[in-house]
Amino acid sequence: MLFAKQFAPGNTFEVYFKLFACCLPVRGAQRSVVCDLQRASYDYIPNALQSILEQDHLLSVGEVLNKYPTQHADTILGYFDFLVEKEYGFYTQQPELFPKMSLAYNHPKLITNAILDIGAQSKYNVLRAIALIELTGCEHLQVRSFVALTEGFFQELDQQIKTSRFRSIEIITKHSPGLSEDFCRLLLQQNPRISQIIVHSAPDEKQEFIYNEVSQCLIHARAPIDSEAHCGYIHPALFSIHLSTFTEAQQFNSCLNRKIAVDQFGNVKNCPSHAASYGAVDDQASLLPIAQQKRFQEIWGVSKDQINVCQDCEFRYICTDCRAYVEAGPLSKPAKCTYDPYAAAWQQPQTTMANQSRLVPA
Ligand code: SF4
Ligand code: SF4
């Protein structure tokens, strides 16, 4: 055993096991996970180990072993060794040097992310709406079009966002012979703010990944995205295991916090699929008065710890949420999640959500 190799049996009261500050255990109904926010990964651990890590983190290894029946000593040391071998934790004789990390979340921007939808019926001024979104300080924008966007539109958008304050822009558009792969590739190369172009409704012969660089990609998806209902999927491939999203999810909604949306009819909303509208975007001189409204911000504070079923799920701080498509009632689980934390199982075969992407990139 690793522990036995490093420390004499008499020293157990001077040695402590500590998790690295960026490795945080989260308890679920059946099992727990330890999330490594630095390496964006997680591992399953038993709930018994989560209890030791949470409740006994101030105790030395010897005190932990004394607390539980003798026959569990090897198992507990095996758990600690497992975490050391996987580089989630370490043994130390100076535990006071390794305080826990604060999980407080704050952000200087009132709006951090936005969705703007374009459909066949859209009559609002899209480029003006994007300019208004930018003026809120928004960092991440998704432009989601249910119809084919022309190369002319892309060129106008490119000019507008080149000197903008957006950090990333994801563009979803319908396939059209008028939008060439070479054009999209060049656009990505010339404008590093564009993180993804997803071309949906693509014909079968199209290759899925056309351009796949570290922070940019061009994707063909076979599935059509013909309405705002193509949203809200929960899938492990979409988990976000990062300090900012993990801390945000402690207190805030993991989809709608600090989000603003313009639906395909030009209505300003929390989410394009919500019924509540805060006015036509064309009528606004600024979106800030809407974003500052108490009623608009109410949904921002609905964290996973308040949502039925999710509050017992070990993935609650790393999975996304959906407050538009829910099982029943405002505090119920997202309808498109098939995970059952009480059985620790996904209820249907998991499929690749090629048409779903994270709005806030890693
Ligand atoms: S609340 Fe649901 S439908 Fe609305 S943006 Fe979030 S995931 Fe999409
Ligand atoms: S049950 Fe809730 S927290 Fe768990 S994976 Fe589904 S949506 Fe996420």
Side-chain angles (χ1 to χ4, degrees):
M1 251 184 195
L2 201 62
F3 182 86
K5 273 192 210 155
Q6 288 182 15
F7 304 102
N11 279 354
T12 55
F13 287 92
E14 291 157 27
V15 178
Y16 294 76
F17 171 80
K18 299 292 285 181
L19 284 172
F20 289 108
C22 61
C23 298
L24 293 147
V26 183
R27 189 183 185 88
Q30 284 292 326
R31 62 182 175 183
S32 298
V33 287
V34 57
C35 299
D36 184 337
L37 305 184
Q38 200 159 313
R39 286 192 278 201
S41 61
Y42 66 88
D43 251 305
Y44 297 107
I45 57 170
N47 278 350
L49 175 55
Q50 187 274 344
S51 299
I52 292 171
L53 296 171
E54 282 294 326
Q55 292 164 22
D56 305 329
H57 66 100
L58 295 176
L59 304 183
S60 68
V61 171
E63 287 167 327
V64 172
L65 296 181
N66 267 1
K67 188 175 163 183
Y68 297 93
T70 322
Q71 66 266 32
H72 295 319
D74 282 351
T75 309
I76 293 170
L77 289 177
Y79 283 161
F80 287 162
D81 280 356
F82 164 78
L83 292 170
V84 172
E85 277 160 9
K86 299 280 277 189
E87 298 182 325
Y88 290 118
F90 58 98
Y91 295 114
T92 177
Q93 290 178 294
Q94 295 177 293
E96 67 283 1
L97 298 184
F98 304 98
K100 281 194 169 188
M101 185 176 64
S102 165
L103 292 182
Y105 174 86
N106 211 337
H107 200 286
K109 305 284 178 63
L110 183 64
I111 295 294
T112 56
N113 64 107
I115 299 181
L116 178 138
D117 278 351
I118 303 170
Q121 313 286 320
S122 297
K123 292 197 173 64
Y124 71 95
N125 187 333
V126 172
L127 293 176
R128 182 178 177 276
I130 291 174
L132 288 179
I133 290 171
E134 192 212 337
L135 287 173
T136 64
C138 174
E139 296 179 338
H140 306 289
L141 170 68
Q142 184 184 66
V143 176
R144 183 173 60 178
S145 180
F146 313 132
V147 293
L149 297 173
T150 63
E151 291 186 358
F153 172 84
F154 272 100
Q155 278 162 345
E156 281 188 84
L157 179 66
D158 179 45
Q159 282 308 313
Q160 181 168 327
I161 61 178
K162 252 189 184 134
T163 52
S164 71
R165 282 169 290 182
F166 291 119
R167 289 179 61 192
S168 76
I169 299 181
E170 183 182 287
I171 305 171
I172 298 173
T173 181
K174 187 174 178 181
H175 169 77
S176 135
L179 182 66
S180 76
E181 287 165 22
D182 286 347
F183 175 85
C184 292
R185 190 183 287 115
L186 196 64
L187 194 68
L188 286 165
Q189 285 165 352
Q190 290 179 349
N191 196 332
R193 281 189 177 79
I194 303 177
S195 57
Q196 283 190 62
I197 300 177
I198 299 173
V199 181
H200 65 84
S201 315
D204 284 349
E205 67 272 15
K206 289 285 181 189
Q207 194 188 329
E208 189 177 352
F209 282 95
I210 306 302
Y211 180 83
N212 198 9
E213 296 299 312
V214 175
S215 58
Q216 288 184 305
C217 60
L218 169 58
I219 298 170
H220 278 139
R222 311 263 171 272
I225 300 179
D226 50 13
S227 79
E228 53 282 338
H230 291 272
C231 204
Y233 297 103
I234 308 291
H235 188 277
L238 301 171
F239 285 174
S240 180
I241 314 161
H242 298 283
L243 180 62
S244 61
T245 46
F246 189 95
T247 51
E248 185 177 24
Q250 307 288 313
Q251 298 169 60
F252 300 104
N253 190 264
S254 46
C255 177
L256 297 180
N257 185 39
R258 294 172 193 258
K259 177 180 259 125
I260 199 158
V262 177
D263 76 3
Q264 59 176 315
F265 304 105
N267 298 306
V268 183
K269 297 179 169 183
N270 289 110
C271 151
S273 297
H274 279 190
S277 165
Y278 292 81
V281 69
D282 280 346
D283 296 342
Q284 313 302 319
S286 163
L287 296 179
L288 286 172
I290 292 176
Q292 283 158 347
Q293 284 180 36
K294 200 171 167 221
R295 186 167 70 99
F296 189 82
Q297 293 184 11
E298 256 166 25
I299 195 87
W300 295 6
V302 180
S303 71
K304 280 281 172 63
D305 284 326
Q306 298 167 42
I307 295 169
N308 299 328
V309 181
C310 295
Q311 58 199 190
D312 296 324
C313 178
E314 61 275 23
F315 301 128
R316 63 191 176 278
Y317 303 133
I318 58 174
C319 89
T320 47
D321 188 32
C322 179
R323 288 299 94 205
Y325 304 102
V326 292
E327 285 187 340
L331 288 181
S332 65
K333 183 186 160 198
K336 296 179 189 177
C337 172
T338 64
Y339 186 66
D340 177 359
Y342 306 106
W346 294 89
Q347 290 176 330
Q348 289 168 13
Q350 295 167 27
T351 53
T352 303
M353 303 293 178
N355 60 350
Q356 176 75 358
S357 58
R358 261 200 303 270
L359 195 57
V360 181

